């Protein structure tokens, strides 16, 4: 299996129950240049993010996607966890958990999903986001033992 073509600073190895896992470092989207680096440097200029949920249209371009991610962070106060990640060639697939606060509430909920990334020249060229956002309830697999398997939980 060929190794993934990830940006040099996008991932680092971490041990998890005796196996090798990859835990990506997400760039800070608080403001351009945070931590001495512009977050758009991880994105191809023509990047597109697609969503499963029909209420989210595709987002096109590095500037627009970085702006969207910064706004998401500012408005919903998310805590992200990449629970699993697999890479082969220029494809990277992650399973993630996100604790966040719906607008105009103090209630924290969990959304779980998966994303497929297509890399080009060590940058993210495409994101296919498979999740359904529900402001009213946690969205996760029914009956799955998230806590027992060390996933992010409330």
């Amino acid at each position: 299996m060929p190794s993934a073509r990830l940006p040099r600073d996008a991932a680092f190895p971490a041990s998890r129950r005796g196996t090798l896992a990859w835990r990506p470092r997400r760039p800070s989207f608080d403001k351009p240049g945070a931590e001495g680096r512009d977050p758009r440097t991880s994105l191809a200029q023509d990047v597109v993010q697609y969503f499963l949920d029909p209420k989210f249209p595709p987002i096109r371009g590095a500037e627009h996607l970085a702006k969207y991610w910064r706004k998401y962070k500012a408005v919903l106060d998310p805590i992200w966890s990449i629970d699993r990640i697999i890479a082969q060639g220029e494809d990277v697939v992650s399973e993630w958990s996100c604790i966040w606060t719906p607008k105009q509430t103090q209630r924290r909920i969990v959304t779980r999903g998966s994303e497929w990334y297509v890399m080009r020249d060590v940058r993210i060229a495409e994101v296919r986001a498979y999740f359904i956002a529900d402001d009213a309830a946690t969205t996760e697999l029914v009956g799955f033992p998230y806590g027992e398997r060390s996933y992010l939980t409330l």
Side-chain angles (χ1 to χ4, degrees):
M1 176 181 329
S3 63
R5 294 183 184 138
L6 298 172
R8 275 178 277 146
D9 62 346
F12 62 95
S15 175
R16 183 178 208 134
R17 295 189 184 143
T19 63
L20 184 65
W22 288 95
R23 291 194 154 282
R25 281 189 233 164
R26 287 185 175 259
S28 171
F29 294 105
D30 292 330
K31 58 185 177 227
E35 300 172 12
R37 173 167 184 227
D38 186 329
R40 293 165 292 182
T41 61
S42 296
L43 303 171
Q45 286 302 307
D46 61 345
V47 65
V48 180
Q49 180 163 354
Y50 299 97
F51 298 91
L52 178 66
D53 195 327
K55 66 183 165 193
F56 299 110
I59 299 170
R60 299 177 188 280
E63 184 69 36
H64 293 290
L65 188 52
K67 182 179 177 181
Y68 172 81
W69 288 344
R70 284 191 300 267
K71 182 179 177 184
Y72 184 92
K73 181 173 180 2
V75 173
L76 303 177
D77 188 28
I79 298 171
W80 285 91
S81 171
I82 303 295
D83 302 308
R84 302 285 185 272
I85 193 161
I86 299 169
Q88 181 177 8
E90 301 220 343
D91 296 319
V92 179
V93 180
S94 70
E95 178 184 31
W96 52 261
S97 301
C98 181
I99 297 173
W100 58 285
T101 306
K103 292 178 186 177
Q104 302 173 348
T105 75
Q106 298 298 315
R107 184 175 31 89
R108 300 289 275 171
I109 61 174
V110 178
T111 297
R112 301 191 193 274
S114 184
E115 291 179 337
W116 189 289
Y117 299 88
V118 176
M119 307 298 291
R120 183 181 349 109
D121 300 325
V122 300
R123 293 177 188 226
I124 299 169
E126 181 178 279
V127 183
R128 296 189 300 258
Y130 296 94
F131 71 94
I132 298 294
D134 185 345
D135 290 354
T138 288
T139 55
E140 60 188 10
L141 299 173
V142 175
F144 186 82
Y146 289 104
E148 292 172 28
R149 298 200 185 169
S150 300
Y151 283 71
L152 183 66
T153 59
L154 289 173

